[in-house]
Amino acid sequence: MNITDKKKKFTRKKYCKFCANKDIQIDYKNLDIMRQYTSDVGKIEAARLTGTCAKHQRKLTAEIKRARQMALIPYVVE
C-alpha cells in the first residue's frame, strides 16, 4: 500500500475572523472575544487551531496579556 493510496481527510481551510469582519475590534476590554481565544485551562490558543492570521494573532496575544495584567482574565483557571 502506497502513501498515495491512502484517503486524505478533507479539512476546511480556516480563516481569520478579524480579516473577514472589520467591525470586530481586538481590545483588552472586549472580554468575550478574549475568552474565545483562551483554552479552558487559561492558555492562549495557537493560530493553527483558531485560524487567525499572524498579524491578528500577535495583536490578540498582546491584548490577552494586557487583560491578564489588569486582572480582567485569570492567568490560570483552577
Side-chain angles (χ1 to χ4, degrees), residues 45-63:
E45 293 286 342
R48 63 182 166 80
L49 297 176
T50 60
T52 57
C53 65
K55 173 185 170 184
H56 288 113
Q57 181 69 22
R58 286 191 300 270
K59 176 79 172 161
L60 189 67
T61 302
E63 294 298 318

Side-chain angles (χ1 to χ4, degrees), residues 4-18:
T4 57
D5 293 339
K6 293 182 181 179
K7 286 189 175 184
K8 292 183 181 179
K9 190 180 268 188
F10 176 75
T11 56
R12 184 175 299 219
K13 182 165 175 17
K14 295 178 182 169
Y15 67 96
C16 180
K17 186 165 59 168
F18 304 107

Side-chain angles (χ1 to χ4, degrees), residues 10-64:
F10 176 75
T11 56
R12 184 175 299 219
K13 182 165 175 17
K14 295 178 182 169
Y15 67 96
C16 180
K17 186 165 59 168
F18 304 107
C19 288
N21 189 355
K22 301 290 184 187
D23 296 334
I24 301 173
Q25 294 295 323
I26 302 174
D27 191 25
Y28 72 94
K29 294 174 275 189
N30 198 351
L31 296 180
D32 51 338
I33 297 287
M34 299 293 135
R35 286 194 182 113
Q36 286 179 0
Y37 291 94
T38 55
S39 68
D40 55 347
V41 183
K43 289 184 172 183
I44 299 171
E45 293 286 342
R48 63 182 166 80
L49 297 176
T50 60
T52 57
C53 65
K55 173 185 170 184
H56 288 113
Q57 181 69 22
R58 286 191 300 270
K59 176 79 172 161
L60 189 67
T61 302
E63 294 298 318
I64 289 173

